Amino acid sequence: MAIIDVIKYDGSPEVFAWKYPNHELGTWTQLIVNEAQEAILYKGGQAHDRFTAGRHTLNTANIPILNHVVNLPFGGDSPFTAEVWYVNKLHSLNIKWGTRSPLQLQDPKYQLFVKVRSFGQFGIQIMDARKFLNKLVGTLSFFNQEMLTEYFRGVLMMNIHEHISSYLVHRKISILEINAYISDISKHIQEQVAPIFEEYGIGLLNFYVDSINTPEDDPATKRLQEALAKRAEMNIIGFTYQQERTFDTLSHAAKNEGSIQSDLMGAGIGLSMGYGVGGTIGGAMSRLSSELKVMADEKLCPKCQRKNEQDAAFCTGCGSPLVAKDGSELPDVVKCQSCDDWMPRHTKFCPNCGDPYNPCSKCGADNEPNCSHCTKCGQPMPTPCRHCGEVIAANVKFCPHCGRETALTCSQCSHDVEQGQKFCVECGHKLT
């Protein structure tokens, strides 16, 4: 048997526990323990003596506990069998962790299901060497950082998934905003995980979540980012989503081939997108309309948008009048009653403000909703039937859609009364 002079370990700092390979130790053997280490002597599978930093001589005087369990028949100078374990008590602050697969979560703010990944690092220190060796190392010859990370991966992932999910739900934070709360999440997870590490003799020095993000190819996240970018763009320009949809609809209508009104429409859409130019846009649209008016060989019905001959008096699709009752042609452009800007007569919404076009059947002027008479010519405006809700022409006694009487009369004297009238002007009867 070889005589062992010195036992020491100067290996990698990533190794937390290392067992000296030779079990036969001679008396007077020198055991060297560095400042960040601790040595444990085992006999028969039980830990007996603990050695801190310094040089130690293995004899019965220096290992009193071992003196009671080792048979030394030669006056204390014979070799004996024991195991020597070195435990690294250095602060290890760069242990990495990360989710192997994305976590499926529902964004509490936008109600979209997104995939979430997270990663970071934590630091540990072996606080109780005996508890660490007995509960984690066992009969292994060494125990390093990679093995520790693998052992605690399940515990970490369970707590990380639970606390990220609960943080999002209870705080109602979007996944796109969660990186602003990483510090609070890190502290919360550390408080929950630290007692689990302590059970194995390990102290959790810190726990950091470096980032919580979504995969770049996640379609749900892409849609959410595009929607938020679109909303920011509309807020900067100064219009709403409904107005944006109106502009898109008018833009598609302006692409109809073979219509000079469509060309005017397209020009109006392009000009109206320059929201800040105001009255200049209206003037440009008006001049453009006047110049193209003489070139038009077709006109659209304001009700069904069907193309008709230039001299047609009624629409061939729905029968709506295309000229005023006095024989004069309706204007191609009218002023919007909401923003006072010019707009094409065949449009359904103002390209500048998005207000619905409510035309007068006689002069084509735009009027406010629920207006009883045209503010320009005084012509009675079409009103909805009080029975079926269909819009009918003014002064019609019976609804052409449901056939029921549209006029309001006094139940006492059968005199005609106006909508909203409380007393009959003929007999004074109270109207209900």
Side-chain angles (χ1 to χ4, degrees):
M1 182 189 68
I3 299 176
I4 301 175
D5 295 326
V6 177
I7 299 176
K8 67 176 182 177
Y9 176 70
D10 296 325
S12 171
E14 293 185 357
V15 176
F16 296 120
W18 176 79
K19 182 173 70 173
Y20 185 71
N22 197 337
H23 295 178
E24 295 184 359
L25 307 177
T27 189
W28 309 112
T29 298
Q30 300 297 303
L31 180 67
I32 299 177
V33 182
N34 295 327
E35 283 288 345
Q37 295 176 343
E38 184 175 318
I40 305 291
L41 260 66
Y42 278 77
K43 176 64 179 178
Q46 294 182 349
H48 289 284
D49 280 286
R50 181 175 66 92
F51 297 91
T52 57
R55 178 186 292 268
H56 307 275
T57 302
L58 297 183
N59 56 46
T60 55
N62 289 344
I63 46 176
I65 299 178
L66 199 61
N67 185 38
H68 298 288
V69 296
V70 178
N71 184 18
L72 301 179
F74 301 103
D77 295 333
S78 66
F80 57 90
T81 302
E83 295 178 359
V84 178
W85 275 95
Y86 277 89
V87 176
N88 182 7
K89 305 190 75 174
L90 189 70
H91 290 194
S92 298
L93 305 177
N94 62 339
I95 302 178
K96 308 293 184 180
W97 64 266
T99 53
R100 288 181 175 177
S101 58
L103 173 66
Q104 190 82 5
L105 293 176
Q106 184 178 18
D107 191 298
K109 192 171 183 179
Y110 301 105
Q111 305 303 316
L112 287 177
F113 283 94
V114 294
K115 296 180 179 179
V116 178
R117 299 178 305 186
S118 58
F119 60 89
Q121 64 182 26
F122 62 94
I124 65 167
Q125 183 188 19
I126 309 300
M127 307 300 293
D128 191 329
R130 291 190 181 184
K131 186 184 293 186
F132 174 72
L133 292 173
N134 293 338
K135 289 195 172 185
L136 280 183
V137 181
T139 59
L140 299 174
S141 60
F142 72 98
F143 194 88
N144 60 14
Q145 179 175 306
E146 181 180 355
M147 298 169 70
L148 182 139
T149 305
E150 193 66 27
Y151 270 53
F152 287 94
R153 180 180 297 276
V155 176
L156 289 174
M157 292 304 101
M158 179 186 68
N159 283 274
I160 289 170
H161 289 179
E162 176 186 352
H163 294 300
I164 290 178
S165 302
S166 62
Y167 204 91
L168 285 172
V169 172
H170 294 116
R171 297 290 187 91
K172 296 189 181 301
I173 299 170
S174 171
I175 187 61
L176 301 180
E177 304 169 348
I178 198 171
N179 280 321
Y181 302 88
I182 280 184
S183 179
D184 292 340
I185 296 176
S186 300
K187 294 178 182 177
H188 191 52
I189 295 177
Q190 180 175 350
E191 293 174 357
Q192 301 299 319
V193 175
I196 301 175
F197 279 82
E198 290 177 2
E199 295 179 4
Y200 298 90
I202 304 173
L204 188 62
L205 302 180
N206 51 55
F207 188 93
Y208 298 123
V209 178
D210 291 339
S211 177
I212 301 174
N213 54 53
T214 56
E216 295 181 357
D217 57 348
D218 182 31
T221 306
K222 285 184 178 180
R223 291 197 303 270
L224 180 57
Q225 291 173 341
E226 291 172 359
L228 293 177
K230 189 65 176 178
R231 186 179 70 175
E233 178 184 351
M234 289 190 293
N235 290 337
I236 294 173
I237 296 176
F239 56 84
T240 63
Y241 175 77
Q242 288 78 7
Q243 291 173 333
E244 167 75 4
R245 296 296 298 163
T246 300
F247 297 155
D248 292 341
T249 302
L250 295 175
S251 178
H252 289 304
K255 295 179 181 178
N256 294 332
E257 297 181 358
S259 173
I260 194 64
Q261 283 87 351
S262 297
D263 296 339
L264 172 61
M265 189 69 178
I269 291 295
L271 289 170
S272 66
M273 292 304 292
Y275 184 77
V277 256
T280 306
I281 297 176
M285 289 181 61
S286 178
R287 290 192 299 271
L288 181 60
S289 173
S290 300
E291 293 173 0
L292 296 180
K293 179 179 177 181
V294 295
M295 301 173 59
D297 56 357
E298 292 178 334
K299 58 177 154 183
L300 296 178
C301 172
K303 184 175 181 180
C304 67
Q305 302 299 314
R306 185 181 180 89
K307 295 180 181 180
N308 295 272
E309 297 293 333
Q310 180 64 28
D311 56 352
F314 296 91
C315 175
T316 58
C318 64
S320 299
L322 301 178
V323 296
K325 293 184 178 180
D326 58 0
S328 61
E329 187 175 1
L330 295 176
D332 286 341
V333 291
V334 295
K335 274 193 175 184
C336 172
Q337 58 84 20
S338 178
C339 66
D340 204 31
D341 202 356
W342 291 97
M343 62 180 177
R345 182 179 55 80
H346 57 266
T347 187
K348 292 184 179 181
F349 298 91
C350 174
N352 183 58
C353 67
D355 189 67
Y357 176 37
N358 185 29
C360 172
S361 59
K362 180 178 180 181
C363 66
D366 184 27
N367 291 268
E368 295 183 358
N370 302 323
C371 184
S372 59
H373 292 78
C374 176
T375 56
K376 184 176 181 181
C377 66
Q379 174 76 11
M381 296 290 292
T383 57
C385 173
R386 61 191 178 95
H387 301 291
C388 65
E390 291 289 338
V391 178
I392 57 177
N395 301 324
V396 174
K397 296 288 186 179
F398 294 91
C399 176
H401 301 281
C402 65
R404 302 181 68 178
E405 186 179 7
T406 59
L408 296 176
T409 58
C410 175
S411 60
Q412 189 74 18
C413 65
S414 300
H415 189 272
D416 291 343
V417 296
E418 298 292 336
Q419 183 74 29
Q421 192 173 327
K422 295 185 178 181
F423 295 91
C424 177
V425 296
E426 184 69 19
C427 66
H429 178 68
K430 184 177 181 180
L431 304 176
T432 58

